[in-house]
Amino acid sequence: MSTQPRPAVLPSAEDLAARAERAARACGVDLDAHRGEREGRSPVNGATISTLAWSEAADVREAVARAQEAFRTWRSVPAPARGAVVKRFGELLAEHKDDLATLVSLEAGKITSEARGEVQEMIDICDFAVGLSRQLYGRTMPSERPGHRLMETWHPLGVVGVVSAFNFPVAVWSWNTAVALVCGDPVVWKPSEKTPLCALAANALLLRALTEAGHDAALSQVLLGGPEVGEALVADAGIALLSATGSTRMGRQVGPVVAERFGRSLLELGGNNAAVVAPSADLDLTTRGIVFAAAGTAGQRCTTMRRVIAHTSVVDEVTERVAAAYRQLPVGDPTAEGTLVGPLLDRRSYEAFTDAIAKAQAAGGEVVAGGGRELADEAEDAYYVRPTVIRMPSQSEVMHSETFAPILYVVSYDDLAEAIELNNAVPQGLSSSIFTQDQAEAELFCSPEGSDCGIVNVNIGTSGAEIGGAFGGEKETGGGRESGSDAWRAYMRRATNTINFSGELPLAQGVTFDV
Ligand code: NAD
């Protein structure tokens, strides 16, 4: 167990509520219009910081119908003009970066720097989408028939439903929305019930960009509420693409419902990400890479590093270096300067943390750093834990599931094939890393015989992806891809056009059918 410095006192309930209100109003949220019965809690100190009205499942149909109506006009607005709205949205995000980041910290518990990073990611995806609005390219293929042209065109798909998780309360929506809008699709968003102010604030900024340019506000709608509102959205046949980010448990429920109605789904689900540390790894860089990926966001990222698979020649040193760094990490108020580890979301997250540690110990694991709760005296309903390193005798059952908390399991390996097998041995397939100076090892890890994940990194941790690449993972992570590269194709429908300018009617494959 660690000897931590005494943590600072947490901010008062009144202080947090006032900060939340100021930030939401600054983004243009009419709080009075949204006032209701549902209390929103801050993980920073457990205090209520919002009291808002939630939608009901019955409201979903009407919202989707409004979006479908808005689609009829929006699909014909030229894509670069749609991009201009997203450009303005990006400017407003930059202007209100601190306001939105404050809400991310207060509702999701992210430290200020990561909360600002999340908003920066929104700005970045707006930039990307603006460029994309002039690059929604289709291909032209040579026709086998004379006097014919064969080509693909990409058209707006329809209404996109977005269901999002608490831990990226605004960025994930913006990855979907910036791209969906330039692709010609309206969005109906069911954000996490844990982060309603973030959702209202982000959407208020987009509504400003839309209405300033004279577009329909129904192009971007938010439905606050719990899973039942999400379920209604998922089941609504008016949702052409359902993009759901959250736990694998949620994806297991959502996927079949969308498939049943032949809708399109894009699933971004749980991760269980590992780093392989090879004998040649630069251990300074490796330690920093591991600590950020494993302890950052208090272990509450889908890409959080949860397993280290280190060569037997370096496993002791890597474990001790990471444990030493963990003992020093400043845990506390995420909005205070210098804090690197904020709170867990809630009591359930804390219970999952203690439960996983107990299971790991029962499987022979040794807690090398962390393992306990901090700041408990100051705030009963706030759950701060010291990031935890557990040395495991071998990969065991507890390491196969995602515990959304900062627990890092360390196992050893003898040869790289074994390390890759351990990396791939879990049901999830989101992110992975190898730390090595040996190019052949790095190449093997990135090859078809290497990591089976959607994200495969070399000499960098598992988290902190850039928006330019397609983001997502395989297996129980759901297989969806969002954000950059050609992920936009999921938001459009493809038409293959054959245009005959020959004046004859030759059939393909030499078929004759003379009448
Ligand atoms: P969660 O699954 O509890 O909730 C996510 C969202 O789904 C919420 O808005 C919730 O209301 C909604 N929901 C739950 N059940 C539903 C149902 N049956 N139908 C429709 N909607 C439903 O997840 P969480 O605790 O908010 O977030 C943490 C999880 O999200 C982790 O597993 C993490 O790995 C995952 N995540 C994945 C990615 C990714 O890109 N792969 C990104 C962020 C978070």
Side-chain angles (χ1 to χ4, degrees), residues 126-150:
C126 286
D127 280 353
F128 180 89
V130 174
L132 183 64
S133 70
R134 292 179 185 270
Q135 300 174 74
L136 300 170
Y137 300 136
R139 276 184 278 228
T140 304
M141 290 71 83
S143 171
E144 66 187 54
R145 287 169 280 186
H148 284 61
R149 183 150 67 91
L150 190 54

Side-chain angles (χ1 to χ4, degrees), residues 314-338:
V314 291
V315 67
D316 289 340
E317 188 171 352
V318 170
T319 309
E320 195 34 57
R321 281 184 182 228
V322 173
Y326 271 27
R327 292 182 195 113
Q328 300 303 317
L329 282 173
V331 177
D333 173 7
T335 65
E337 214 182 312

Side-chain angles (χ1 to χ4, degrees), residues 23 28 54 64 67 107 129 138 176 180 200 234 248-249 303 306 319-320 334 344 368 426 429 435 445 452 481:
W54 280 14
V64 175
E107 287 194 326
N176 282 282
L200 292 178
V234 168
T248 294
R249 181 195 52 73
T303 50
R306 307 198 180 278
T319 309
E320 195 34 57
L344 292 180
V368 188
V426 296
F435 289 91
F445 193 69
D452 63 2
R481 290 296 185 278

Side-chain angles (χ1 to χ4, degrees), residues 257-316:
V257 176
V258 181
E260 173 73 23
R261 60 174 179 80
F262 296 102
R264 216 186 262 187
S265 62
L266 196 168
L267 300 177
E268 295 283 359
L269 309 175
N272 188 354
N273 319 294
V276 173
V277 183
S280 65
D282 170 341
L283 292 188
D284 285 336
L285 181 147
T286 302
T287 304
R288 280 185 285 129
I290 292 175
V291 173
F292 171 66
T297 329
Q300 298 168 113
R301 285 194 188 210
C302 51
T303 50
T304 289
M305 190 186 294
R306 307 198 180 278
R307 299 174 295 140
V308 162
I309 302 161
H311 190 264
T312 42
S313 63
V314 291
V315 67
D316 289 340

Side-chain angles (χ1 to χ4, degrees), residues 37 58 72 132 147 209 228 279 300 361 422 448 453 457 476 492:
E37 308 269 284
R72 297 170 71 81
L132 183 64
E228 63 294 340
Q300 298 168 113
Q361 286 174 317
L422 287 167
C453 293
N457 294 338
E476 289 191 3
M492 301 199 85

